[in-house]
Amino acid sequence: MIRATALLMAASLALTACTGTGEQLGPDGKPLPKLYRISASDSGKIEQRVVEAVNSLRAVRGTAPVVLSPELNQAALIHSRDMALQNRPWHWGSDGSSPLDRAKRAGFAGAFLGENISETYETETETLSAWMNLADTRDVILNPEARYMGFAWFQESSGKIWWTMVTGK
C-alpha cells in the first residue's frame, strides 16, 4: 500500500511538472507579450512618467528639461486618433496636415521642433526606449532647443496603441 501511494505521488508530481504556465509562445519559442491595457486611472500617470523619463534622459546629456504643453498634448492626441483611423503610422494627417499644422491648430504659440510616432502594443516606457534606440527619434527627445513636450496616445479595442510625442520651443 505504501508503495502504491508513493508511486501515485511520484506520478502526480511528474504530471504537475509537465503542465505549462499558461503562457502562449510565439514562433520564436518566447512568451508572447501580455496585452497592455491603459486604464482611466493610468492616463494621468502615463504623461507624468514619460515627461520624468524624458527629463532624466535630457539631464544625462546636460540638456534643460521640458514641460508638458496642453496645446502640444492636444496636437499629439489628435494625431494618435487620426493614425488609428488611417491604420498607418505616419506624420501626415488624413486631411494632409503636417505636425507643424497640428501644433498651430491646437494653439501652440511657440515653434514646432519634432514629432515621434509609434504603432505598438507596448507600454509607454518600451516605446520611449525604442525611440531612444534610433538616431532620428532620439534627436527629437534630446533636442537642446526643446522646452515643451506633448505626449498622447489612442488605444484601439484590440489593444493596439498609437503613441505620439511632439516637441517645441
Coordinates of all heavy atoms in Angstrom, one line a residue, residues 82-124:
D82 N -6.0 60.1 -35.3 CA -6.0 60.1 -36.8 C -5.2 58.9 -37.4 O -5.6 58.3 -38.4 CB -5.5 61.4 -37.3 CG -5.8 61.6 -38.8 OD1 -6.9 61.3 -39.2 OD2 -4.9 62.0 -39.5
M83 N -4.1 58.6 -36.8 CA -3.3 57.5 -37.3 C -4.1 56.2 -37.1 O -4.0 55.3 -38.0 CB -1.9 57.4 -36.5 CG -0.9 58.4 -36.9 SD 0.7 58.0 -36.2 CE 0.4 58.1 -34.4
A84 N -4.8 56.0 -36.0 CA -5.6 54.9 -35.8 C -6.7 54.8 -36.9 O -7.0 53.7 -37.5 CB -6.2 54.9 -34.4
L85 N -7.3 55.9 -37.2 CA -8.4 55.9 -38.3 C -7.8 55.5 -39.6 O -8.4 54.9 -40.4 CB -9.0 57.3 -38.3 CG -10.0 57.6 -37.2 CD1 -10.4 59.1 -37.3 CD2 -11.2 56.7 -37.2
Q86 N -6.6 56.0 -39.9 CA -5.9 55.7 -41.2 C -5.3 54.3 -41.2 O -4.9 53.8 -42.2 CB -4.8 56.8 -41.4 CG -5.3 58.2 -41.6 CD -4.1 59.1 -41.9 OE1 -3.5 59.0 -43.0 NE2 -3.8 59.9 -41.0
N87 N -5.1 53.8 -40.0 CA -4.4 52.5 -39.8 C -3.0 52.5 -40.4 O -2.6 51.5 -41.0 CB -5.3 51.3 -40.3 CG -4.8 50.0 -39.8 OD1 -4.3 49.9 -38.6 ND2 -4.9 49.0 -40.6
R88 N -2.3 53.5 -40.1 CA -0.9 53.6 -40.5 C -0.2 54.6 -39.7 O -0.7 55.7 -39.5 CB -0.7 53.8 -42.0 CG -1.3 55.2 -42.5 CD -1.0 55.3 -44.0 NE -1.7 56.4 -44.5 CZ -1.7 56.8 -45.8 NH1 -1.0 56.1 -46.6 NH2 -2.4 57.8 -46.2
P89 N 1.0 54.3 -39.3 CA 1.8 55.3 -38.5 C 2.6 56.1 -39.5 O 3.5 55.7 -40.2 CB 2.8 54.4 -37.7 CG 2.9 53.1 -38.5 CD 1.7 53.0 -39.3
W90 N 2.2 57.4 -39.6 CA 3.0 58.3 -40.4 C 2.7 59.7 -39.9 O 1.8 60.0 -39.1 CB 2.8 58.1 -41.9 CG 1.4 58.5 -42.5 CD1 0.2 58.5 -41.9 CD2 1.3 59.1 -43.8 NE1 -0.7 59.0 -42.8 CE2 -0.1 59.3 -43.9 CE3 2.1 59.4 -44.8 CZ2 -0.7 59.9 -45.1 CZ3 1.6 59.9 -46.0 CH2 0.2 60.1 -46.1
H91 N 3.5 60.7 -40.4 CA 3.4 62.0 -39.8 C 2.4 62.9 -40.5 O 2.2 64.0 -40.0 CB 4.8 62.7 -39.9 CG 5.8 62.0 -39.1 ND1 5.9 62.2 -37.7 CD2 6.8 61.1 -39.4 CE1 6.9 61.4 -37.2 NE2 7.4 60.8 -38.2
W92 N 1.7 62.5 -41.5 CA 0.7 63.3 -42.2 C -0.7 62.9 -41.7 O -1.0 61.8 -41.7 CB 0.9 63.2 -43.7 CG 2.3 63.6 -44.1 CD1 3.3 62.7 -44.4 CD2 2.8 64.9 -44.1 NE1 4.4 63.5 -44.6 CE2 4.1 64.8 -44.5 CE3 2.2 66.1 -43.9 CZ2 5.0 65.9 -44.6 CZ3 3.1 67.2 -44.0 CH2 4.4 67.1 -44.4
G93 N -1.5 64.0 -41.5 CA -2.9 63.7 -41.1 C -3.7 63.3 -42.3 O -3.3 63.5 -43.4
S94 N -4.9 62.8 -42.0 CA -5.8 62.3 -43.1 C -6.3 63.5 -43.9 O -6.7 63.4 -45.1 CB -7.0 61.6 -42.5 OG -7.7 62.4 -41.6
D95 N -6.2 64.7 -43.3 CA -6.5 65.9 -44.0 C -5.4 66.6 -44.7 O -5.4 67.7 -45.2 CB -7.2 66.9 -43.1 CG -6.3 67.4 -41.9 OD1 -5.1 66.8 -41.8 OD2 -6.7 68.2 -41.1
G96 N -4.2 65.9 -44.7 CA -3.0 66.5 -45.3 C -2.2 67.3 -44.4 O -1.2 67.9 -44.8
S97 N -2.6 67.4 -43.1 CA -1.9 68.3 -42.2 C -0.5 67.7 -41.8 O -0.3 66.5 -41.7 CB -2.7 68.5 -40.9 OG -2.9 67.2 -40.3
S98 N 0.4 68.6 -41.5 CA 1.7 68.3 -41.1 C 1.8 68.4 -39.6 O 0.8 69.0 -39.0 CB 2.8 69.2 -41.7 OG 2.6 70.5 -41.1
P99 N 2.8 67.9 -38.9 CA 2.9 68.1 -37.4 C 2.9 69.6 -37.1 O 2.3 70.0 -36.1 CB 4.2 67.5 -37.1 CG 4.5 66.5 -38.2 CD 3.9 67.1 -39.4
L100 N 3.5 70.4 -37.9 CA 3.5 71.9 -37.6 C 2.1 72.4 -37.7 O 1.7 73.2 -36.8 CB 4.4 72.6 -38.7 CG 4.4 74.1 -38.6 CD1 4.9 74.6 -37.3 CD2 5.3 74.6 -39.8
D101 N 1.3 72.0 -38.7 CA -0.1 72.4 -38.8 C -0.9 72.1 -37.6 O -1.6 72.9 -37.1 CB -0.8 71.8 -40.1 CG -0.2 72.2 -41.4 OD1 0.4 73.3 -41.5 OD2 -0.2 71.4 -42.3
R102 N -0.7 70.8 -37.1 CA -1.5 70.4 -36.0 C -1.1 71.1 -34.7 O -2.0 71.4 -33.9 CB -1.3 68.9 -35.8 CG -2.0 68.1 -36.9 CD -2.0 66.6 -36.6 NE -0.6 66.0 -36.6 CZ 0.1 65.6 -37.6 NH1 -0.5 65.7 -38.8 NH2 1.3 65.1 -37.5
A103 N 0.2 71.5 -34.5 CA 0.6 72.2 -33.3 C 0.0 73.6 -33.4 O -0.5 74.1 -32.4 CB 2.1 72.3 -33.3
K104 N 0.0 74.3 -34.6 CA -0.7 75.6 -34.7 C -2.2 75.5 -34.4 O -2.7 76.4 -33.8 CB -0.4 76.1 -36.1 CG 1.0 76.7 -36.3 CD 1.2 77.3 -37.7 CE 2.6 77.8 -37.9 NZ 2.8 78.3 -39.2
R105 N -2.8 74.5 -35.0 CA -4.3 74.4 -34.9 C -4.7 74.2 -33.4 O -5.7 74.6 -33.0 CB -4.8 73.2 -35.6 CG -4.9 73.4 -37.1 CD -5.5 72.2 -37.7 NE -5.3 72.2 -39.2 CZ -5.4 71.1 -39.9 NH1 -5.8 69.9 -39.4 NH2 -5.2 71.2 -41.2
A106 N -3.8 73.5 -32.6 CA -4.1 73.3 -31.2 C -3.8 74.5 -30.4 O -4.0 74.5 -29.2 CB -3.2 72.1 -30.7
G107 N -3.2 75.5 -31.0 CA -3.0 76.8 -30.3 C -1.6 77.0 -29.7 O -1.4 77.9 -28.9
F108 N -0.6 76.1 -30.1 CA 0.7 76.3 -29.7 C 1.3 77.5 -30.3 O 1.5 77.6 -31.5 CB 1.5 75.0 -30.0 CG 2.9 75.1 -29.4 CD1 3.2 75.1 -28.0 CD2 4.0 75.1 -30.3 CE1 4.4 75.1 -27.5 CE2 5.3 75.1 -29.8 CZ 5.5 75.1 -28.4
A109 N 1.7 78.5 -29.5 CA 2.3 79.7 -30.0 C 3.8 79.7 -30.3 O 4.3 80.6 -30.9 CB 2.0 80.8 -28.9
G110 N 4.5 78.7 -29.7 CA 5.9 78.6 -30.0 C 6.2 77.9 -31.3 O 5.4 77.8 -32.2
A111 N 7.5 77.5 -31.4 CA 7.9 76.9 -32.7 C 7.9 75.4 -32.5 O 8.4 74.8 -31.5 CB 9.4 77.4 -33.0
F112 N 7.3 74.7 -33.5 CA 7.3 73.3 -33.5 C 8.8 72.8 -33.8 O 9.4 73.3 -34.7 CB 6.4 72.8 -34.6 CG 6.5 71.3 -35.0 CD1 5.9 70.4 -34.2 CD2 7.3 71.0 -36.1 CE1 6.1 69.0 -34.5 CE2 7.5 69.6 -36.4 CZ 6.9 68.6 -35.6
L113 N 9.2 71.7 -33.1 CA 10.5 71.2 -33.4 C 10.6 69.8 -33.9 O 11.3 69.4 -34.8 CB 11.4 71.2 -32.1 CG 11.8 72.6 -31.6 CD1 12.5 72.5 -30.2 CD2 12.6 73.3 -32.6
G114 N 9.7 68.9 -33.4 CA 9.8 67.5 -33.9 C 8.6 66.7 -33.4 O 7.9 67.0 -32.5
E115 N 8.5 65.5 -34.0 CA 7.4 64.6 -33.7 C 7.9 63.1 -33.8 O 8.6 62.8 -34.7 CB 6.2 64.8 -34.6 CG 5.0 63.9 -34.4 CD 3.9 64.1 -35.4 OE1 4.0 63.7 -36.5 OE2 2.9 64.6 -35.0
N116 N 7.6 62.3 -32.8 CA 7.8 60.9 -32.8 C 6.5 60.2 -32.8 O 5.6 60.6 -32.0 CB 8.6 60.5 -31.6 CG 10.1 60.9 -31.6 OD1 10.6 61.2 -32.7 ND2 10.7 60.9 -30.5
I117 N 6.4 59.1 -33.5 CA 5.1 58.3 -33.6 C 5.4 56.9 -33.5 O 6.6 56.4 -33.8 CB 4.3 58.6 -34.9 CG1 5.2 58.3 -36.1 CG2 3.8 60.0 -34.9 CD1 4.4 58.3 -37.4
S118 N 4.4 56.1 -33.0 CA 4.6 54.7 -32.9 C 3.3 54.0 -33.0 O 2.3 54.5 -32.4 CB 5.4 54.3 -31.6 OG 5.5 52.9 -31.5
E119 N 3.3 52.8 -33.6 CA 2.1 51.9 -33.6 C 2.6 50.6 -32.9 O 3.5 50.0 -33.4 CB 1.7 51.6 -35.0 CG 0.8 50.4 -35.2 CD 0.8 49.9 -36.7 OE1 1.8 50.2 -37.4 OE2 -0.2 49.3 -37.0
T120 N 2.0 50.3 -31.7 CA 2.6 49.1 -31.0 C 1.6 48.6 -30.0 O 0.5 49.2 -29.8 CB 3.9 49.6 -30.2 OG1 4.4 48.5 -29.6 CG2 3.6 50.7 -29.2
Y121 N 1.9 47.5 -29.3 CA 1.1 47.0 -28.2 C 1.9 47.2 -26.9 O 1.6 46.7 -25.9 CB 0.8 45.5 -28.4 CG -0.1 45.3 -29.5 CD1 0.3 45.1 -30.8 CD2 -1.5 45.2 -29.3 CE1 -0.6 44.8 -31.9 CE2 -2.4 45.0 -30.3 CZ -1.9 44.8 -31.6 OH -2.8 44.6 -32.6
E122 N 3.1 47.9 -27.0 CA 4.0 48.1 -25.9 C 3.6 49.3 -25.0 O 2.9 50.2 -25.4 CB 5.4 48.3 -26.4 CG 5.9 47.0 -27.2 CD 7.3 47.2 -27.7 OE1 7.7 48.4 -28.1 OE2 8.0 46.3 -27.8
T123 N 4.2 49.3 -23.8 CA 4.0 50.3 -22.9 C 4.7 51.6 -23.3 O 5.5 51.6 -24.3 CB 4.5 50.0 -21.5 OG1 6.0 49.9 -21.6 CG2 4.0 48.6 -21.0
E124 N 4.3 52.7 -22.7 CA 5.0 54.0 -23.0 C 6.5 53.9 -22.7 O 7.3 54.5 -23.4 CB 4.3 55.1 -22.2 CG 4.5 55.1 -20.7 CD 3.6 54.1 -19.9 OE1 2.7 53.5 -20.6 OE2 3.7 54.0 -18.7

